[in-house]
């Protein structure tokens, strides 16, 4: 049996007969069937309902009726709702009590390529400006700290030192050990061709101490601690905790950002030093384990090859990375929006910004070192 | 750690003793180019319990965020005893901030600190009290909001309603004379909500505090409010102001009437 049926009772009046089960599902007709009928009978001015055969109904019926009402009001057709069950009428009344807010609809019009390029460029310039402003605010907060005009809680600072320093040791150990091991593996195979296996110590030692130790630590810490900073501050933004500090007249910059920056900048060179040692151990393991080079000779060769210069450059880079990672993490956290998904994007963006900054800084430092010949 | 503080607050109080505590003049609030509310004008007198009301999403909390200095007006001014908050020099501004206590919608307790540390922080920052004195004040403030003994709990270990009350204890830590409440009774059971209303009245009567409350709880509005402003999302401006009880009797505006009678008229 058909559940929807139109009866044209006169030129200007029609009855919509609804029967059977009107439960949400693919079998329900859509309001476009009514439009089709009304298109054929353009003289219709009144519409009523007959629901005597209706056995069950739910939202499926209500949403159909609401579309019918909208269609009828667009065509200026009077709707007589007396034929509907009282419950249906009441629910429809509720659904129509608040008129549709016309300007609430977002325009979904697709932007042209040029305007997208334009708005992306403007957004990029704005974010560059914000970045400069954040760095400036951080510097001024640091200045105030050094002049003892600002302060942060020492308990919190100690906790941050532990989180960004000691607790990062396991992952830093693992990654740097493996990096040293891989470097030695690749290097020793090539050097063997010339019978110069022992020089693998030079290769691993210089690579780790000068560049890889700092870069690997930087990337690990960006993904670990930088992301954590962004997530912590972002969540504080969502919970209005940062507002609560601001309205109390306590600068979130001094209270939240500075301790994170100082702790990470202090911990990074220590972690880097540790990563260097682990990397050299990894290299030594391959040399001693697989190629019979005595650990003592390997160690002596490393000590001869690696100069103080290399160590200083590596540590300098790690300090720069510490500043960059904590700046990026804190900045993205402080700029975070007020929702859970905003915290997610802040975290992602913190890691991306940190890694880009690390690679760019490495490139610059390497070029400068080359130019000045160290 | 606590640093000394200049006494701008008391000075400004002496000079501008007769001015209304808060005066909002021709305020336009906007997010970028989207104007949320325009031409908002009202004054809050000393000792008022001033209600900011209106339907959901009409900009009540945004108005509060403007009043406490978190957002800057797109147009217009907000004066505290005749001093424009946004044009003031940093020391004056920070003296004003010290006089404000704010209860945020979610409580906004600092999650890495215990309740005691949360309440102690403003005291450590602004006063030269000894740790013992601070501990006494902290335990008194917690008792005031019915949380005696919860000093060493972290915000994540207590319920939402308790967090809100702890937030209130923190807002009261410096004995502010201007208090802002953002939807104080949302999420509270009826008994706690009533207690909170009583506490607001006590604070006003005994400490001489001026209170600004954002709420749409009709019961609280009529029980404690003696002045109000009604914001309307449709027209994007304020459509009524005055004592809520008077508005209930005399307002002719259908939106205001529907709101105040819970849709019965």
């Amino acid at each position: 049996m058909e559940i929807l049926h139109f009866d044209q009772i006169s030129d200007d009046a029609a009855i919509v007969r609804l029967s059977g089960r009107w439960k949400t599902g693919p079998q329900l007709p859509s309001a476009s069937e009514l439009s089709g009928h009304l298109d054929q009978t353009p003289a219709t001015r009144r519409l009523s309902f007959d629901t005597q055969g209706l056995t069950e109904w739910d939202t499926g019926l209500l949403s159909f009726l609401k579309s019918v009402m909208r269609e009828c009001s667009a065509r200026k057709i009077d709707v007589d709702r007396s034929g509907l069950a009282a419950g249906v009428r009441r629910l429809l009344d509720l659904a129509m009590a608040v008129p549709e807010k016309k300007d609430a609809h977002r325009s979904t019009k697709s932007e042209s390529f040029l305007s997208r390029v334009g708005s992306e460029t403007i957004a990029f310039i704005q974010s560059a400006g914000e970045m400069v402003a954040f760095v400036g605010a951080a510097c001024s907060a640091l200045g105030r700290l050094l002049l003892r005009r600002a302060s942060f809680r020492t308990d919190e600072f100690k906790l941050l030192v532990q989180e960004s320093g000691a607790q990062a040791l396991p992952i830093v150990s693992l990654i740097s050990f493996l990096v040293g091991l891989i470097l030695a593996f690749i290097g020793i195979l090539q050097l063997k061709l010339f019978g110069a296996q022992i020089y693998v110590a030079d290769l691993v030692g210089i690579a780790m101490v000068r560049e890889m130790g700092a870069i690997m630590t930087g990337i690990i810490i960006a993904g670990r601690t930088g992301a954590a900073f962004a997530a912590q501050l972002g969540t504080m933004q969502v919970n209005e905790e940062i507002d609560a500090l601001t309205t109390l007249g306590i600068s979130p910059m001094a209270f939240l950002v500075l301790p994170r920056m100082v702790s990470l900048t202090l911990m990074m060179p220590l972690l880097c030093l540790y990563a260097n040692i682990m990397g050299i151990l990894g290299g030594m393991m391959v040399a001693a384990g697989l190629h019979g080079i005595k650990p003592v000779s390997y160690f002596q060769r490393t000590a001869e090859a690696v100069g103080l210069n290399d160590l200083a450059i590596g540590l300098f880079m790690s300090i720069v990375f510490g500043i960059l990672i904590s700046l990026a993490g804190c900045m993205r956290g402080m700029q975070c929006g007020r929702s859970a998904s905003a915290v997610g994007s802040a975290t992602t963006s913190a890691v991306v910004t940190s890694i880009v900054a690390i690679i760019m800084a490495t490139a610059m430092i390497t070029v400068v070192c080359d130019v000045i010949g160290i | 750690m606590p640093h000394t503080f200049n006494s701008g607050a008391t000075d400004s109080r002496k000079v501008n003793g007769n001015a209304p505590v808060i005066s909002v003049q021709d305020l336009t609030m906007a997010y970028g180019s989207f104007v949320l509310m325009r031409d908002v004008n009202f004054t809050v007198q000393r000792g008022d319990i001033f209600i900011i009301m209106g339907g959901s999403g009409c900009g009540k909390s945004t108005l509060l965020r403007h009043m406490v200095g978190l957002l800057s007006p797109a147009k217009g001014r907000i004066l505290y005893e005749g001093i424009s908050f946004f044009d003031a020099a940093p020391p004056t501004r920070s003296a004003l901030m010290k006089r404000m206590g704010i209860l945020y919608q979610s409580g906004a307790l600092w999650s890495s600190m215990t309740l005691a540390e949360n309440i102690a922080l403003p005291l450590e920052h602004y006063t030269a009290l000894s740790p013992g004195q601070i501990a006494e004040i902290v335990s008194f403030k917690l008792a005031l909001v019915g949380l005696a003994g919860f000093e060493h709990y972290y915000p994540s270990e207590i319920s939402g309603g308790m967090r809100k009350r702890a937030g209130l204890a923190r807002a009261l830590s410096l004995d502010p004379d201007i208090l802002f409440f953002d939807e104080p009774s949302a999420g509270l059971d009826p008994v706690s909500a009533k207690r909170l209303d009583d506490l607001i009245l006590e604070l006003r009567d005994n400490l001489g505090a001026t209170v600004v409350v954002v709420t749409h709880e009709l019961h609280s509005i009529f029980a404690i409010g003696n002045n109000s402003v009604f914001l309307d999302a449709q027209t994007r401006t304020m459509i009524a102001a005055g004592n809520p009880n008077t508005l209930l009797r005399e307002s002719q505006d259908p939106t205001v009437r529907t709101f105040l009678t819970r849709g019965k008229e």
Side-chain angles (χ1 to χ4, degrees):
Chain A
M1 193 180 80
E2 237 193 308
I3 57 174
L4 173 67
H5 186 74
F6 298 104
D7 259 347
Q8 197 72 27
I9 48 175
S10 67
D11 276 353
D12 67 344
I15 292 189
V16 179
R17 292 191 202 282
L18 307 167
S19 56
R21 287 182 83 235
W22 274 77
K23 293 275 207 181
T24 312
Q27 83 286 357
L28 286 192
S30 81
S32 59
E33 293 191 21
L34 175 83
S35 329
H37 180 80
L38 291 176
D39 285 341
Q40 289 165 14
T41 54
T44 310
R45 280 288 146 272
R46 278 179 293 125
L47 194 73
S48 51
F49 296 97
D50 171 16
T51 56
Q52 279 179 353
L54 195 63
T55 51
E56 283 178 285
W57 56 272
D58 67 0
T59 304
L61 174 67
L62 294 170
S63 57
F64 171 79
L65 288 173
K66 187 157 185 298
S67 311
V68 169
M69 306 280 176
R70 192 184 311 136
E71 184 72 37
C72 289
S73 86
R75 290 170 188 255
K76 299 200 167 45
I77 296 174
D78 283 337
V79 179
D80 171 15
R81 297 198 282 178
S82 56
L84 297 170
V88 174
R89 279 205 306 270
R90 280 198 298 272
L91 283 169
L92 277 178
D93 283 343
L94 275 180
M96 295 181 170
V98 178
E100 189 177 358
K101 201 163 186 289
K102 295 281 189 243
D103 59 351
H105 286 293
R106 291 278 163 84
S107 66
T108 47
K109 204 175 64 179
S110 65
E111 262 183 306
S112 74
F113 175 71
L114 275 182
S115 92
R116 263 217 310 278
V117 170
S119 52
E120 289 289 325
T121 311
I122 292 171
F124 178 77
I125 294 171
Q126 265 172 357
S127 91
E130 281 169 13
M131 217 178 271
V132 173
F134 189 87
V135 173
C139 290
S140 103
L142 188 66
R144 290 167 61 86
L145 181 77
L146 295 176
L147 294 172
R148 303 198 158 271
R149 286 209 197 124
S151 57
F152 48 70
R153 283 160 35 96
T154 28
D155 287 356
E156 190 129 342
F157 177 67
K158 286 180 199 157
L159 206 67
L160 284 166
V161 166
Q162 186 192 339
E163 276 174 10
S164 51
Q167 289 182 357
L169 286 178
I171 180 83
V172 171
S173 310
L174 179 72
I175 304 284
S176 342
F177 185 80
L178 290 179
V179 168
L181 198 126
I182 294 165
L183 280 176
F185 246 119
I186 303 170
I188 212 160
L189 286 179
Q190 304 303 316
L191 291 167
K192 209 173 178 182
L193 299 176
F194 309 99
Q197 291 99 312
I198 184 67
Y199 289 103
V200 76
D202 295 46
L203 179 89
V204 174
I206 294 175
M208 280 310 292
V209 172
R210 204 180 159 107
E211 303 265 346
M212 291 307 281
I215 295 178
M216 290 319 291
T217 316
I219 290 177
I220 296 164
I221 295 301
R224 191 188 170 279
T225 313
F229 286 174
Q232 285 164 359
L233 298 186
T235 314
M236 290 185 79
Q237 192 73 265
V238 174
N239 287 343
E240 302 179 299
E241 290 174 47
I242 292 185
D243 292 344
L245 278 176
T246 311
T247 49
L248 201 60
I250 299 176
S251 150
M253 212 65 198
F255 197 78
L256 297 172
V257 175
L258 271 192
R260 284 173 171 74
M261 283 190 66
V262 174
S263 65
L264 193 60
T265 311
L266 287 179
M267 286 303 109
M268 269 301 280
L270 298 182
L271 286 171
C272 173
L273 205 58
Y274 180 76
N276 294 344
I277 296 168
M278 292 310 289
I280 291 170
L281 276 180
M284 190 189 282
M285 177 125 153
V286 171
L290 301 178
H291 298 274
I293 298 171
K294 284 199 188 100
V296 178
S297 340
Y298 185 95
F299 179 75
Q300 279 174 344
R301 193 58 235 153
T302 306
E304 276 170 39
V306 179
L308 213 52
N309 255 354
D310 301 320
L311 186 67
I313 291 171
L315 291 183
F316 172 73
M317 287 214 292
S318 72
I319 294 174
V320 173
F321 296 165
I323 297 171
L324 292 175
I325 295 166
S326 51
L327 265 178
C330 293
M331 179 176 74
R332 296 305 183 202
M334 295 293 281
Q335 291 170 344
C336 179
R338 291 181 179 272
S339 67
S341 68
V343 177
S345 353
T347 313
T348 311
S349 152
V351 176
V352 172
T353 313
S354 307
I355 292 179
V356 169
I358 286 173
I359 302 300
M360 280 170 56
T362 310
M364 274 190 254
I365 294 171
T366 311
V367 169
V368 170
C369 286
D370 188 56
V371 168
I372 60 178
I374 51 172
Chain B
M1 195 166 108
H3 60 81
T4 51
F5 199 79
N6 77 26
S7 54
T10 36
D11 290 345
S12 67
R13 229 177 289 189
K14 271 177 211 158
V15 177
N16 301 292
N18 296 324
V21 179
I22 308 169
S23 154
V24 173
Q25 299 176 348
D26 299 322
L27 177 69
T28 295
M29 305 186 281
Y31 286 115
S33 59
F34 175 77
V35 174
L36 188 66
M37 191 79 18
R38 57 165 59 85
D39 302 327
V40 179
N41 280 291
F42 60 86
T43 55
V44 181
Q45 303 294 338
R46 181 162 302 285
D48 266 358
I49 295 183
F50 189 92
I51 311 274
I52 299 173
M53 56 183 165
S56 306
C58 69
K60 303 187 292 289
S61 292
T62 308
L63 174 56
L64 190 84
R65 292 170 67 79
H66 277 83
M67 291 173 77
V68 301
L70 284 170
L71 295 172
S72 56
K75 223 184 85 194
R77 297 195 303 170
I78 298 172
L79 305 178
Y80 283 86
E81 289 169 348
I83 301 168
S84 168
F85 187 89
F86 286 95
D87 302 331
T92 318
R93 199 193 274 211
S94 115
L96 275 173
M97 282 178 166
K98 191 190 157 194
R99 291 174 53 199
M100 298 180 195
I102 301 150
L103 171 60
Y104 290 88
Q105 234 175 79
S106 57
L109 295 168
W110 297 304
S111 43
S112 60
M113 303 184 207
T114 62
L115 298 194
E117 288 169 335
N118 261 282
I119 300 167
L121 183 70
L123 295 162
E124 286 167 1
H125 195 77
Y126 281 118
T127 68
L129 297 171
S130 72
Q133 289 169 311
I134 289 181
E136 274 175 30
I137 297 181
V138 165
S139 93
F140 171 74
K141 298 285 175 187
L142 277 174
L144 199 62
V145 295
L147 285 174
F150 282 89
E151 278 88 342
H152 302 297
Y153 279 70
Y154 281 93
S156 56
E157 298 170 331
I158 57 176
S159 76
M162 289 159 90
R163 248 175 265 165
K164 197 149 212 178
R165 283 186 278 154
L168 176 60
R170 185 183 65 192
L172 297 176
S173 61
L174 288 170
D175 289 332
D177 65 347
I178 311 170
L179 278 163
F180 294 91
F181 293 79
D182 194 358
E183 312 222 351
S185 33
L188 291 188
D189 62 89
V191 180
S192 305
K194 168 80 172 63
R195 257 189 70 127
L196 188 67
D197 283 352
D198 292 345
L199 184 62
I200 294 176
L201 288 170
E202 289 298 326
L203 290 170
R204 193 263 312 262
D205 295 343
N206 297 319
L207 302 177
T210 306
V211 186
V212 177
V213 187
V214 165
T215 185
H216 42 222
E217 291 286 325
L218 284 178
H219 192 80
S220 289
I221 293 175
F222 293 125
I224 60 172
N226 71 334
N227 199 354
S228 71
V229 59
F230 190 101
L231 304 182
D232 180 39
Q234 212 71 38
T235 53
R236 298 210 174 127
T237 186
M238 53 181 278
I239 52 173
N243 187 310
N245 291 294
T246 319
L247 284 182
L248 177 64
R249 282 196 309 273
E250 294 168 9
S251 173
Q252 300 300 320
D253 191 290
T255 315
V256 179
R257 290 213 67 80
T258 316
F259 183 92
L260 290 178
T261 56
R262 204 185 285 268
K264 284 181 187 142
E265 277 182 25

